[in-house]
Amino acid sequence: MVTLRIATFNLENFDETPNPTPFEPTLADRIAVMRPQIDRLRADVLCLQEVNGQERPGQPRSLLALAELLQGTALAGRNVVSTEKANGEVFDERNLAVVTSLPVTARAQLLNDLVAAPVYQVLTANPPALQPQSIGIERPILHVELDLLGAPLHVIVVHLKSKLPTDITGQKLDRFTWRDAGAAAEGSFLSDMKRMSQAVEVRRLVDQILDQDPDARIVVAGDFNSTTDEVPLVAILGNVEDTGNGALAGRVLVPLENAIPESARYSLFHHGTGYMLDHLLVTRNLLAHYRGTEIHNELLHDESADFATDKKFPESDHAPIVATFEFA
């Protein structure tokens, strides 16, 4: 019997801090808190979001802070696949990554590849927008194919657009303050378009994989910035109640947090309320091997406190999630 643990964790802007302010934790401060979280996951496949890249003179930007976090854990020195620029360097901020002990057989990233960016003319820009513009996605989707006991395991990592309104030219007094409520509303509309573009691209990728292999084993993991009853997740899950087509039952994705009691089912706190925004979704064929889910949220702080006090926390404001499977 082979036990496989698959986890997802938004590390929240994980980076070095060369000149930290009095209210900003250093990388060492963050590692002291977060390395035990990584150890506790005992993950064979770890899907990560918000992993920043670092530079050294004469070397390409790479995930040096992540490598330091993994030192001394069971994942140190394991395979790392991440999002990257056209030149092969990682992005400055908010990379997606898969760290795994399994062999990697293929990788790809998608950014408006299966869904064309919508075109929209902004109403509240100052000066006014003269023509429609493309509303593109900022963050790609990462698709990694792993070898699990001689057969493929497709791992798709996502970080959907946040619910914060998209900036509109001339409508912000500072990072969080809008000049006009209507502009803020339009900014939210733009963010919704981006989030839904990503959701449709994820769903189309899943269907593309299943078109090629109806028995494909697929995991979709990450920070969806949506609960399961919100439109982006509804679109990705493809429940029969929503498609109205029982013939598509084999294409439904299952949120593994459903095995957790509702009172403990949250991965982020905001103004005292817990929300399940991070998910592990799997194809039904993996349920035969599924043994349980854990959400490590015992010490999760209220992320809105960051803005109330301007004091940053060394830990992430997201809880890691891990699911266990057994294969004969």
Side-chain angles (χ1 to χ4, degrees):
M1 190 69 68
V2 174
T3 299
L4 182 75
R5 286 171 66 86
I6 302 175
T8 184
F9 192 9
N10 182 329
L11 299 182
E12 191 198 0
N13 294 314
F14 192 75
D15 204 349
E16 295 176 328
T17 47
N19 300 297
T21 68
F23 300 106
E24 188 176 15
T26 65
L27 178 61
D29 294 331
R30 301 203 70 188
I31 287 175
V33 172
M34 297 174 73
R35 187 179 286 159
Q37 292 182 288
I38 301 295
D39 278 328
R40 182 185 178 190
L41 291 170
R42 306 193 312 280
D44 304 287
V45 180
L46 177 58
C47 305
L48 298 170
Q49 305 87 52
E50 293 203 30
V51 187
N52 292 359
Q54 294 76 42
E55 288 182 315
R56 294 291 184 270
Q59 298 180 16
R61 181 177 289 272
S62 58
L63 303 181
L64 300 176
L66 175 61
E68 191 170 343
L69 172 65
L70 297 177
Q71 283 180 13
T73 74
L75 289 173
R78 299 296 188 175
N79 297 316
V80 179
V81 182
S82 72
T83 47
E84 58 186 33
K85 302 177 185 178
N87 64 2
E89 290 188 350
V90 301
F91 291 96
D92 296 0
E93 298 181 336
R94 297 186 174 181
N95 289 279
L96 305 176
V98 174
V99 185
T100 180
S101 57
L102 298 180
V104 177
T105 56
R107 58 98 54 209
Q109 65 186 45
L110 293 84
L111 186 70
N112 286 127
D113 290 282
L114 302 180
V115 176
V119 175
Y120 173 77
Q121 185 154 353
V122 177
L123 303 174
T124 59
N126 184 19
L130 300 179
Q131 59 188 10
Q133 64 186 61
S134 175
I135 309 300
I137 299 169
E138 291 96 353
R139 297 192 281 260
I141 297 161
L142 180 63
H143 174 205
V144 181
E145 188 175 323
L146 306 176
D147 184 302
L148 175 61
L149 300 175
L153 176 67
H154 296 270
V155 177
I156 300 169
V157 189
V158 306
H159 185 187
L160 301 194
K161 178 71 178 75
S162 75
K163 295 179 181 180
L164 289 174
T166 295
D167 288 353
I168 292 177
T169 301
Q171 290 292 356
K172 298 288 288 292
L173 295 173
D174 57 37
R175 184 181 175 191
F176 298 109
T177 308
W178 287 82
R179 294 180 181 276
D180 179 81
E186 188 174 30
S188 293
F189 177 54
L190 295 175
S191 293
D192 284 345
M193 277 197 281
K194 295 176 182 181
R195 192 161 52 253
M196 277 307 302
S197 292
Q198 289 176 287
V200 174
E201 189 150 44
V202 170
R203 183 66 242 186
R204 294 201 69 196
L205 174 58
V206 169
D207 287 337
Q208 188 179 78
I209 295 168
L210 292 172
D211 286 343
Q212 296 171 359
D213 177 9
D215 297 319
R217 300 177 295 183
I218 304 173
V219 179
V220 184
D223 177 359
F224 293 73
N225 274 307
S226 301
T227 58
T228 53
D229 59 349
E230 293 182 290
V231 175
L233 255 292
V234 170
I236 291 171
L237 293 174
N239 287 323
V240 172
E241 301 95 313
D242 298 306
T243 64
N245 187 347
L248 298 177
R251 293 181 173 235
V252 171
L253 297 178
V254 183
L256 295 183
E257 74 263 15
N258 286 352
I260 300 287
E262 189 171 357
S263 61
R265 195 186 304 160
Y266 57 88
S267 63
L268 181 135
F269 265 132
H270 183 74
H271 290 307
T273 301
Y275 296 91
M276 194 70 202
L277 301 184
D278 304 82
H279 305 275
L280 287 168
L281 316 176
V282 301
T283 43
R284 287 177 184 258
N285 52 11
L286 282 169
L287 292 181
H289 309 280
Y290 173 60
R291 298 296 178 264
T293 302
E294 305 162 23
I295 306 173
H296 297 170
N297 55 16
E298 300 91 339
L299 292 174
L300 194 61
H301 69 268
D302 193 319
E303 63 91 25
S304 56
D306 278 341
F307 303 102
T309 65
D310 200 31
K311 182 177 177 64
K312 305 303 179 185
F313 292 77
E315 68 269 25
S316 172
D317 55 8
H318 288 253
I321 305 160
V322 60
T324 303
F325 301 84
E326 290 182 348
F327 298 87

